[in-house]
Amino acid sequence: MSARRAEFLPDGVEELLPEAAWLAEELRRRLLDCYRERGYGLILTPLVEHLDSLLVGAGEDLEDQTFRFVDPVSGRMLGLRADMTPQAARIAATRFAGDEAVRLCYLGSVLRTHPDTPGGARAPRQAGCELFGDASLNADLEIIDLMAQTLSLAGVRQPLLDLGHMGIYQDLVAETGLRPADEQVLFDILQRKCEPELADWLRAAALPEATRDALAQLVSLHGPPEKVLPAARAALPSTPAVGAALDALDAVTMALADRGANLHVDLSELRGYRYQTGLSFAAFGADSARELARGGRYDGIGDVFGAPRPATGFSADINELLASA
């Protein structure tokens, strides 16, 4: 960014000039046409809401990314949306509570106090789809297909699809009895995949030996699914939750491999783990280490509104997609 631009725009906030803006608008139209053809209803959500409605359910993980201020009219605390998924969840729970399955799509700007990744955007133009009321793997595959189609419409070729499952880590941590602060340290180490630091932490932790061994293995369980998933069955405890998670990954990776997807499995990748409950996924460009899209399952969403139901979805940043095409 030039010194002149830096006078006007905060870090992580970009503007689009005519050529790029027209490309973004053309992509927006193609995406919405695609989502409509697949049966997803478009919602236009407000830029600002009462803070407590933005930070319930899926939104709790966004608390430190949300700008907040006091409403001069009501005196209540308001928040600027940092992600549109919680808004879609609220709408599904309160406006479509009687529907068996609800498919919603959205596209609009969000604002975050800090980027998700170093050098990332703080004001993405977020596009996404959410499917509520279907707990099946077919629903997850439908969302992954839509994510892949989104990348294809943006001109992204041969993306790498990274898959994980929150149930494995959640089951292992449930057996530890760790205090939240200690569990956060473990979580941070796993996200950095620092094996020496993990080994030191595990030696100092008062954990059952089987749990300690499983956590030590978890950080190395990443790579092609045909290698990682058999290794995980051998290395991890054969609990019902771990078995169900690995069964789901087996089924999804086989289905996606039949469709020619470029797949990678990472069992210690915990993006969105504070609210996701099952399969998680992200797409990367062939020449970029930055996520182009992400998603996963977050069952139970809507419970705070009296309408709990399974859910799965994805989102992507239009500006990031165009820059990577």
Side-chain angles (χ1 to χ4, degrees):
M1 179 181 291
S2 69
R4 183 63 176 168
R5 285 179 66 197
E7 294 178 11
F8 301 108
L9 300 179
D11 288 344
V13 176
E14 294 289 335
E15 58 193 3
L16 297 182
L17 298 182
E19 183 177 354
W22 280 120
L23 290 174
E25 175 60 15
E26 289 165 3
L27 176 58
R28 184 191 71 85
R29 296 176 187 181
R30 291 197 298 271
L31 293 179
L32 292 182
D33 286 343
C34 169
Y35 302 156
R36 186 175 188 176
E37 289 172 3
R38 296 289 296 271
Y40 283 73
L42 177 65
I43 54 173
L44 300 177
T45 63
L47 179 63
V48 60
E49 287 194 31
H50 292 131
L51 186 64
D52 50 5
S53 71
L54 284 177
L55 300 182
V56 296
E60 291 177 2
D61 203 41
L62 300 171
E63 186 168 0
D64 66 345
Q65 285 192 322
T66 301
F67 283 97
R68 60 198 71 195
F69 58 96
V70 176
D71 182 0
V73 174
S74 68
R76 293 182 64 179
M77 189 67 72
L78 304 180
L80 295 174
R81 66 186 184 201
D83 189 306
M84 297 175 76
T85 303
Q87 296 181 302
R90 172 182 56 76
I91 289 171
T94 58
R95 304 300 182 92
F96 301 96
D99 294 4
E100 183 175 350
V102 179
R103 289 171 170 84
L104 299 176
C105 66
Y106 49 81
L107 199 158
S109 295
V110 299
L111 185 64
R112 297 168 180 165
T113 58
H114 60 273
D116 283 343
T117 57
R122 296 170 64 204
R125 295 188 71 216
Q126 189 180 54
C129 295
E130 312 293 334
L131 172 50
F132 303 95
D134 191 336
S136 71
L137 286 178
N138 284 335
D140 294 306
L141 287 168
E142 178 179 323
I143 288 294
I144 293 172
D145 282 343
L146 273 168
M147 184 175 75
Q149 196 165 1
T150 296
L151 270 62
S152 178
L153 288 171
V156 178
R157 303 302 174 208
Q158 298 182 322
L160 175 69
L161 182 59
D162 187 42
L163 296 160
H165 200 292
M166 296 300 161
I168 295 173
Y169 175 76
Q170 290 169 346
D171 188 59
L172 293 177
V173 170
E175 297 299 317
T176 65
L178 289 172
R179 297 177 304 171
D182 293 330
E183 190 271 325
Q184 182 63 50
V185 173
L186 172 62
F187 173 83
D188 291 340
I189 294 172
L190 286 173
Q191 291 310 281
R192 290 184 279 110
K193 293 182 170 54
C194 184
E195 294 190 46
E197 188 176 348
L198 178 62
D200 290 342
W201 188 90
L202 290 172
R203 276 194 294 268
L207 300 177
E209 183 177 357
T211 302
R212 187 165 55 244
D213 291 344
L215 289 169
Q217 293 288 333
L218 195 63
V219 73
S220 63
L221 290 172
H222 56 88
E226 63 272 16
K227 293 183 179 180
V228 171
L229 296 178
R233 290 191 186 276
L236 298 177
S238 56
T239 65
V242 169
L246 293 175
D247 288 345
L249 284 168
D250 269 330
V252 168
T253 54
M254 284 191 291
L256 293 173
D258 288 343
R259 301 172 197 186
N262 184 17
L263 300 177
H264 181 270
V265 169
D266 188 343
L267 299 187
S268 64
E269 176 52 65
L270 305 172
R271 64 180 69 84
Y273 127 86
R274 298 299 178 189
Y275 67 89
Q276 288 188 350
T277 60
L279 190 72
S280 65
F281 40 86
F284 297 83
D287 301 317
S288 172
R290 186 173 295 170
E291 287 180 354
L292 301 180
R294 67 165 67 177
R297 179 160 288 281
Y298 51 106
D299 291 344
I301 195 68
D303 185 35
V304 294
F305 300 109
R309 68 173 98 194
T312 181
F314 84 93
S315 64
D317 178 6
I318 283 185
N319 294 345
E320 191 69 43
L321 291 177
L322 290 173
S324 302

